[in-house]
């Protein structure tokens, strides 16, 4: 379980996050939703210790993040984090060199699934294919938790469909997944849990099926209540 | 192990520019050597065969040609300056390139399952190895340049230096004298101080990366504090206009202070990378 | 398999409804093997936990059964199948009545109309 406890983040005097608390469970897909610029990415960066939080605590399976944690929790940012001149094969080799949790078989499977060619340079790929390589580099790690920042934004519809397929496949099975998005429509049926952010705070946290069953509301209905006031 | 992998990676990221530097140095210095020897021989031929001056008289008047003459050649010194400036700029760029663009590689580096200080140490080592590599190249080039003189200039018109002799004569020289000191201790001092400065610079850069605008001030203050610590014996001597230490004592104190400054830089970098760094 | 989901009913309920219809109409035969929960999630583009929930509920309702580690199958229980048909027809008739009620048509006319239309549509389909 990923526990975010009372986390606050200030940039100078500007508060980006104010007492944010939520949990994301293993075996579930948790979706951080909010209109742009509400600190979704900051939360993921905070979980991965890529930027210091002003206060609060973040625990992964009850422990603070250490260097060993990066074998257990992977983050897929919204842009690929490999050097543009690298070939896909070189990017894969880089991951293989550093991570014990790298799973070569799965990497091969993903290459086939996304129809990517190893010899191509990242700089020569289409946006959609870059997004797929980016995803591959995270998904091929045998980690318990996967964080993804806006995996569906800025790419063509067919790439989106392919990426959505990943979520219903064994590639994600039994892992704890946290994704951020500002566009819920396509993936409403894919996610287990929703955490709604507004103005740096969490306004709602619920399971989607429970929300439908108990209140007969879709995720968009709840968002409408929250953001339209 | 991860440190070695990172080092290898850092080296490979600069290798193209580094090869260009090597090639520029080789070509430029060989041209320099050739033209110095050629000019000397042209002048010699003119003087002896046209003006009828005797060889002994010519040598007496104009001297023999030797590797020393290279030091006044622009083509010889220019690549040294270019390489030094490039590596100095790369000390900054080796960090800032990781934050550049949308594909910020720093995400990848910080999320590696390894102590983050390895990133810092591998970058520093990459700089050191590249500096030492160019110095080694210079030594080899000097040997080759000596050979070129032997081919082009008759023995009675040239003075052959061994490398050690040569270096003994370049002690005061701005470029070579600093780059290739005469003895091993001197070598350790030059490069020890140089590498200490690299560590201080790296830590100052990290201050900027952690705290942005405020970080620039922190970084500059840190660099000044480090320098003050290192130069404290000299500062005291100036203030009180009195020598407190014998040269040997001063030497030992400086080594200790240099190690302190280096250790402090690494420790602070370790703290910043783990607690304060931001992508 | 393709289901158009609405967004306000629980997805597992919609999946169950789909299975009930397929079973009642005979498209799924008794004893027929059905996809694993993973395959189902993938085919329908739904969350695997939701597919799991649908299967669990159907298993409890006796609509499907699992023996050991084998894939799940559609029930062979005649009683369950009969009940299912009755249930679905009942639901359909309820919906129908609710829709026709406001029109206030005499019962005899209604039954005649149903007979006519039903025969006609059957004829068109066969």
């Amino acid at each position: 379980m990923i526990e975010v406890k009372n986390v606050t983040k200030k940039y100078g005097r500007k508060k980006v996050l104010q007492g944010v608390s939520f949990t994301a469970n293993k075996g579930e897909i948790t979706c951080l939703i909010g209109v742009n610029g509400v600190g979704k990415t900051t939360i993921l960066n905070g979980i991965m210790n890529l930027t210091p939080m002003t206060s609060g605590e973040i625990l992964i399976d009850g422990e603070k993040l250490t260097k060993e944690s990066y074998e257990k929790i992977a983050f897929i940012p919204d842009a690929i984090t490999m050097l543009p001149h690298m070939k896909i094969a070189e990017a894969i080799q880089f991951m293989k060199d550093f991570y014990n949790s790298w799973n070569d078989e799965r990497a091969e499977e993903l290459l086939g699934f996304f129809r990517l060619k190893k010899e191509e340079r990242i700089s020569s790929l289409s946006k959609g294919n870059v997004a797929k390589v980016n995803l591959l580099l995270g998904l091929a790690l045998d980690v318990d938790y996967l964080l993804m920042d806006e995996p569906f934004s800025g790419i063509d519809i067919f790439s989106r469909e392919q990426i959505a397929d990943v979520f219903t496949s064994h590639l994600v099975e039994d892992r704890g997944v946290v994704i951020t998005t500002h566009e819920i429509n396509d993936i409403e049926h894919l996610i287990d849990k929703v955490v709604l952010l507004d103005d740096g705070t969490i306004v709602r946290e619920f399971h989607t099926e429970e929300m439908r069953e108990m209140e007969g509301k879709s995720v968009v209905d709840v968002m409408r209540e929250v953001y339209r006031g | 192990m991860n440190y070695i992998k990172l080092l290898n990676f850092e080296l490979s990221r600069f290798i193209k520019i580094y090869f260009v530097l090597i090639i520029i140095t080789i070509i430029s210095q060989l041209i320099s050597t050739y033209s110095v020897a050629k000019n000397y021989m042209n002048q010699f031929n003119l003087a002896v065969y046209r003006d009828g001056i005797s060889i002994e008289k010519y040598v007496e008047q104009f001297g023999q040609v030797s590797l020393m003459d290279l030091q006044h050649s622009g083509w010889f010194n220019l690549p040294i300056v270019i390489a030094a400036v490039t590596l100095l700029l790369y000390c900054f760029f080796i960090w800032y390139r990781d934050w550049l663009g949308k594909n910020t590689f720093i995400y990848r580096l910080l999320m590696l399952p390894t102590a983050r200080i390895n990133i810092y140490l591998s970058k520093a080592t990459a700089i050191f190895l590249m500096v030492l590599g160019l110095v080694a190249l210079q030594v080899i080039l000097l040997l080759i340049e000596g050979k070129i003189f032997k081919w082009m200039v008759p023995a009675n018109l040239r003075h052959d230096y061994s490398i050690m002799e040569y270096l003994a004569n370049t002690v005061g020289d701005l470029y070579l004298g600093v780059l290739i000191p005469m003895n091993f201790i001197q070598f350790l001092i030059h490069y020890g101080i140089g590498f200490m400065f690299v560590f201080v610079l790296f830590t100052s850069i990290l201050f900027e990366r952690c705290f942005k605008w405020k970080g620039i001030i922190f970084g500059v203050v840190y660099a000044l504090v480090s320098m003050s610590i290192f130069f404290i014996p000299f500062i005291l001597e100036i203030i009180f206009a009195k020598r407190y230490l014998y040269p040997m004592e001063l030497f030992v104190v400086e080594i200790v202070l240099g190690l302190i400054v280096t250790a402090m830089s690494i420790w602070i970098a370790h703290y910043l990378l783990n607690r304060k760094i931001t992508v | 398999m393709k289901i158009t989901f609405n967004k306000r009913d629980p997805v597992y309920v919609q999946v169950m409804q789909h299975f009930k219809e397929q079973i009642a109409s005979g498209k799924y035969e008794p004893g027929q093997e059905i996809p694993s929960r993973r395959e189902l999630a993938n085919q329908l583009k739904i969350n695997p936990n939701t597919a799991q929930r649908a299967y669990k509920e159907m298993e409890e309702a006796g609509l499907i059964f699992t023996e050991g580690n084998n894939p799940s199958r559609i029930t062979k229980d005649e009683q369950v199948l009969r009940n299912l048909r009755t249930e679905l027809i009942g639901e359909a008739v309820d919906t129908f009545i609710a829709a026709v009620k406001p029109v206030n048509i005499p019962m005899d006319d209604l039954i005649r109309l149903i007979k006519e239309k039903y025969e006609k549509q059957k004829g068109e389909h066969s």
Side-chain angles (χ1 to χ4, degrees):
Chain A
M1 186 166 58
I2 300 174
E3 293 166 88
V4 175
K5 291 177 172 177
N6 204 16
V7 161
T8 295
K9 169 73 178 176
K10 288 187 219 165
Y11 284 112
R13 284 195 194 144
K14 199 178 144 219
K15 273 194 181 173
V16 183
L17 300 174
Q18 278 187 74
V20 165
S21 301
F22 68 92
T23 59
N25 296 320
K26 232 186 136 185
E28 285 189 355
I29 301 171
T30 303
C31 193
L32 293 178
I33 306 178
V35 281
N36 276 332
V38 291
K40 291 171 297 197
T41 305
T42 308
I43 292 176
L44 298 190
N45 284 341
I47 294 173
M48 297 307 280
N49 190 21
L50 294 172
T51 195
M53 295 292 115
T54 312
S55 65
E57 192 179 36
I58 296 169
L59 300 176
I60 294 145
D61 290 336
E63 284 168 29
K64 285 201 168 169
L65 188 111
T66 63
K67 63 179 196 287
E68 287 79 19
S69 309
Y70 294 117
E71 297 274 16
K72 234 174 85 170
I73 178 166
F75 177 30
I76 305 173
D78 63 345
I80 193 164
T81 58
M82 281 290 171
L83 306 176
H85 66 76
M86 282 173 133
K87 289 177 181 167
I88 294 176
E90 289 169 335
I92 287 177
Q93 188 59 45
F94 183 90
M95 298 298 285
K96 207 172 157 179
D97 281 347
F98 283 99
Y99 293 89
N100 292 324
S101 55
W102 182 258
N103 183 330
D104 233 1
E105 271 170 43
R106 190 181 293 151
E108 288 296 330
E109 193 188 335
L110 279 157
L111 282 171
F113 183 78
F114 287 140
R115 278 181 241 125
L116 294 166
K117 289 191 201 76
K118 268 179 155 180
E119 288 314 303
E120 285 191 281
R121 286 188 195 283
I122 291 167
S123 56
S124 71
L125 297 174
S126 69
K127 259 185 167 181
N129 278 349
V130 172
K132 289 172 201 165
V133 175
N134 187 27
L135 210 60
L136 181 153
L137 295 175
L139 284 171
L141 289 167
D142 273 330
V143 289
D144 296 339
Y145 299 99
L146 260 176
L147 313 181
M148 303 185 198
D149 196 11
E150 299 277 358
F152 297 103
S153 74
I155 50 173
D156 60 281
I157 176 162
F158 302 110
S159 300
R160 285 165 72 114
E161 279 180 2
Q162 258 188 329
I163 290 172
D165 276 354
V166 166
F167 286 90
T168 58
S169 73
H170 64 285
L171 295 163
V172 157
E173 193 169 23
D174 298 332
R175 309 202 207 186
V177 179
V178 179
I179 71 175
T180 69
T181 186
H182 59 277
E183 234 298 295
I184 184 72
N185 247 323
D186 294 1
I187 57 167
E188 208 167 307
H189 290 144
L190 292 180
I191 56 183
D192 290 275
K193 189 176 174 180
V194 168
V195 176
L196 279 187
L197 276 150
D198 190 29
D199 218 9
T201 54
I202 291 191
V203 282
R204 294 292 282 275
E205 184 181 356
F206 59 91
H207 279 88
T208 53
E209 283 282 88
E210 274 174 33
M211 181 55 73
R212 293 183 200 114
E213 187 144 37
M214 303 303 185
E215 302 189 32
K217 287 176 190 162
S218 71
V219 177
V220 176
D221 289 338
V222 180
M223 285 174 72
R224 205 171 281 128
E225 280 173 20
V226 167
Y227 296 119
R228 291 232 185 122
Chain B
M1 251 348 267
N2 280 329
Y3 159 74
I4 300 288
K5 287 179 206 159
L6 279 169
L7 172 59
N8 181 40
F9 188 73
E10 286 296 343
L11 289 172
S12 71
R13 288 173 83 185
F14 193 63
I15 204 74
K16 276 184 194 153
I17 300 173
Y18 193 63
F19 274 134
V20 171
L21 284 181
I22 287 175
I23 287 165
I24 288 175
T25 307
I26 293 173
I27 292 175
S28 183
Q29 290 207 349
L30 292 185
I31 288 174
S32 162
T33 312
Y34 176 81
S35 71
V36 165
K38 185 84 183 160
N39 280 342
Y40 182 87
M41 287 312 290
N42 282 347
Q43 278 173 11
F44 170 81
N45 287 337
L46 279 180
V48 174
Y49 297 109
R50 196 188 61 186
D51 303 338
I53 299 169
S54 76
I55 296 176
E56 292 77 19
K57 192 114 186 267
Y58 184 87
V59 171
E60 198 177 298
Q61 199 177 340
F62 296 101
Q64 290 169 312
V65 73
S66 76
L67 288 176
M68 281 304 141
D69 295 283
L70 292 177
Q71 285 177 54
H72 310 296
S73 157
W75 285 103
F76 183 84
N77 288 319
L78 189 66
I80 299 178
V81 175
I82 291 176
V85 170
T86 307
L87 285 176
L88 190 65
L89 289 178
Y90 194 61
C91 283
F92 288 90
F93 193 55
I94 200 172
W95 285 102
Y96 285 100
R97 70 184 301 180
D98 286 334
W99 271 269
L100 266 178
K102 184 97 173 118
N103 306 25
T104 52
F105 196 65
I106 194 66
Y107 275 87
R108 190 82 277 149
L109 288 178
L110 293 179
M111 292 193 293
L112 291 176
T114 178
R116 286 181 176 175
I117 195 67
N118 282 335
I119 300 168
Y120 176 95
L121 294 175
S122 65
K123 283 183 193 296
T125 316
I127 298 279
F128 301 163
L129 288 179
M130 286 186 293
V131 169
L132 295 176
L134 283 176
V135 171
L137 172 73
Q138 185 62 74
V139 172
I140 293 167
L141 275 177
L142 283 172
L143 292 172
I144 294 172
E145 284 152 8
K147 283 273 189 304
I148 291 176
F149 276 132
K150 281 185 185 165
W151 288 330
M152 294 182 62
V153 183
N156 55 349
L157 293 179
R158 62 167 204 265
H159 182 83
D160 294 333
Y161 286 102
S162 75
I163 285 289
M164 288 323 280
E165 278 175 317
Y166 177 73
L167 295 178
N169 280 292
T170 57
V171 168
D173 180 66
L174 181 58
Y175 302 123
L176 273 186
V178 173
L179 284 184
I180 318 174
M182 212 175 71
N183 61 47
F184 188 64
I185 295 288
Q186 203 67 32
F187 183 89
L188 285 187
I189 293 173
H190 285 192
Y191 288 93
I193 292 175
F195 295 160
M196 179 192 75
F197 278 128
V198 171
F199 282 124
V200 171
L201 174 65
F202 274 17
T203 301
S204 293
I205 290 172
L206 284 181
F207 269 113
E208 189 280 328
R209 287 290 78 198
C210 292
F211 304 106
K212 301 287 137 67
W213 289 106
K214 250 190 263 167
I216 296 178
I217 299 167
F218 294 162
V220 170
V221 168
Y222 176 73
L224 291 176
V225 168
S226 301
M227 290 308 94
S228 312
I229 292 173
F230 185 69
F231 289 117
I232 223 164
F234 301 100
I235 296 171
L236 290 179
E237 279 179 8
I238 292 168
I239 293 173
F240 298 105
K242 190 177 161 193
R243 284 184 179 274
Y244 291 96
L245 300 166
Y246 291 111
M248 198 55 210
E249 288 172 339
L250 185 65
F251 180 66
V252 172
V253 168
E254 279 304 306
I255 287 179
V256 171
L257 288 176
L259 289 176
I260 287 173
V261 169
T262 303
M264 187 173 75
S265 295
I266 294 173
W267 187 82
I268 291 174
H270 168 79
Y271 173 81
L272 291 175
L273 281 168
N274 280 318
R275 298 292 183 79
K276 296 294 175 198
I277 201 75
T278 184
V279 287
Chain C
M1 195 184 325
K2 181 90 187 132
I3 310 180
T4 314
F5 292 105
N6 73 60
K7 292 186 170 174
R8 295 195 172 104
D9 290 319
V11 176
Y12 84 90
V13 173
Q14 298 184 57
V15 172
M16 281 177 76
Q17 189 62 27
H18 170 82
F19 269 86
K20 285 179 181 171
E21 284 164 10
Q22 300 297 306
I23 296 170
S25 69
K27 286 200 179 111
Y28 286 168
E29 287 162 14
Q32 186 184 326
E33 215 174 84
I34 56 171
S36 71
R37 71 163 183 137
R38 171 66 57 201
E39 285 160 0
L40 184 79
N42 205 274
Q43 283 170 12
L44 299 179
K45 311 294 170 220
I46 57 168
N47 186 291
N49 292 326
T50 309
Q52 167 76 7
R53 171 91 192 270
Y55 274 20
K56 195 177 145 241
E57 298 281 340
M58 288 197 286
E59 190 121 26
E60 278 170 16
L63 294 173
I64 59 171
F65 69 97
T66 317
E67 282 167 346
N69 276 335
N70 296 322
S72 299
R73 292 172 183 280
I74 303 289
T75 184
K76 294 176 193 164
D77 188 327
E78 293 292 332
Q79 186 61 41
V80 171
L81 291 172
R82 262 197 302 278
N83 287 348
L84 182 60
R85 283 180 70 88
T86 319
E87 183 194 326
L88 281 185
I89 292 165
E91 276 175 18
V93 172
D94 285 347
T95 319
F96 173 72
I97 291 172
V100 200
K101 219 173 176 181
V103 187
N104 224 348
I105 184 173
M107 184 60 79
D108 288 346
D109 291 354
L110 182 58
I111 291 174
R112 189 166 43 80
L113 214 63
I114 292 172
K115 269 186 181 165
E116 269 177 38
K117 290 241 175 191
Y118 194 72
E119 294 298 328
K120 201 178 165 201
Q121 279 199 9
K122 239 183 165 179
E124 276 168 9
H125 280 278
S126 57

